[in-house]
Amino acid sequence: MIKQTERVMSSAYMQWAKTHLQARFNLASSGLEPLPLAELPVKIDNLELTGPSFYGYEPLQKALAKKCGVSPDCVVAATGTSMANHLAMAATLRPGDEALIEQPTYELLVSTAQYLGAKVKRFTRSFEDGFRLDPNEVARAASTRTRLIILTNLHNPSSALARNEALKQLGKIAREVGARVLVDEVYLDALFDDAPSTAFHLGEEFITTNSLTKVYGLSGLRCGWVLAEPALAKKLWYLNDLFGVIPAHAAERLSCIALEHLDEIAAHARRLLETNRRLLNAFFNARDDLDWMPLNFGTVAFPRLKNGSVDALCALLLEKYETSIVPGKFFDMPQHFRIGIGCETAMLAEALARLSKALFDISARPYPRSARAGNSFSLRWPAKRERRGQKRPQRERSK
Ligand SMILES: Cc1ncc(COP(=O)(O)O)c(C=O)c1O
């Protein structure tokens, strides 16, 4: 446990992610499979190494502003949503300020706020409530010390959508206590034509962040941005002089090309996600060893393992089945795990088959003593699909 007074200098989650996303069957990624460069109509003449990029590269500023329906002076280009979040937090949080962050959430939001010296307070989005954004929870936790309310939309890890009515109520709460609302919208475009416009439009207290990373398979471009009212946007640009100063110009040029072709890229992503969601929901439907919600949009789901250890499941899945999922402990919900569905459909089908096998294996293992007080060893009856034709295992006597 990190004490509030300690300055966080690293991210356990990011270290885990960087060393586990290379599994042969990767369900740990939250984004779309990478789009190969060959899919973009790029000619060498379109690229240049150095260009007029100081407080933004004008063609990219204009393209991002057009995409978001805002004026270019509200756009601050950044290296991925990661740097966009860092900039937004660094500009609005001073050491000792309170950051009120959803629970569960993307770990980097918490560790970045802690790195900046903020006191982190949490408000709950509960599994039982479909991870819904409940403004009453936020109101209960907010105080006059709160400077920033932070959430993800779609929600990482569950893909739950926070609707405008709830977000507006957050804006009202923030106004009352003199805070702002930071909405990380890196998964919002996964709603495609049904996506609501950015929460930036809901009021001056809203700051939003996004990138082309997750929904479009363009992680390598690192094309991210913050939307903020112009005075704050200027502050962010000046703050960025202390961090990245200027980005790689070739990446800016490539980002402009990607933005010109975003509709085609989105059409591919949409088709893939729709197919993969059907597959995932069919997998969930066949299981009675998981608590789950159907995935209606988004790229990730966050089921709960009814019995047994998720850490043991993850380890077995990786070692025996070369498949990775994200353990729920990185979201402070150790009985859950996150499944990403942005990979190719055949890969997802195989990975889910392997997950089934690993779930079967761990269901046949005795419970660890710690999991069942007073009844330390027993056998679980496996999931519906796998138990056909099998005899029910005998319960071992408690030791
Ligand atoms: C909620 C959220 N924000 C930001 C990021 C990082 O995005 P990017 O790759 O654009 O820096 C992630 C990555 O998983 C994420 O889940």
Side-chain angles (χ1 to χ4, degrees), residues 13 30 79-83 85 106 109 152 156 184 186-187 211 213-214 219 222 338:
Y13 168 67
S30 59
T79 310
T81 314
S82 306
M83 184 53 98
N85 285 335
Y106 177 54
L109 294 171
T152 52
N156 182 4
D184 175 331
V186 75
Y187 301 103
S211 73
T213 301
K214 299 291 171 189
S219 176
R222 309 307 295 135
R338 197 189 71 184

Side-chain angles (χ1 to χ4, degrees), residues 13 29-31 106 152-156 159 184-192 209-211 214-215 298-300 338:
Y13 168 67
S29 276
S30 59
Y106 177 54
T152 52
N153 195 28
L154 305 176
H155 182 219
N156 182 4
S159 294
D184 175 331
E185 296 180 339
V186 75
Y187 301 103
L188 194 60
D189 285 10
L191 282 163
F192 302 102
T209 54
N210 201 344
S211 73
K214 299 291 171 189
V215 179
T299 61
V300 287
R338 197 189 71 184

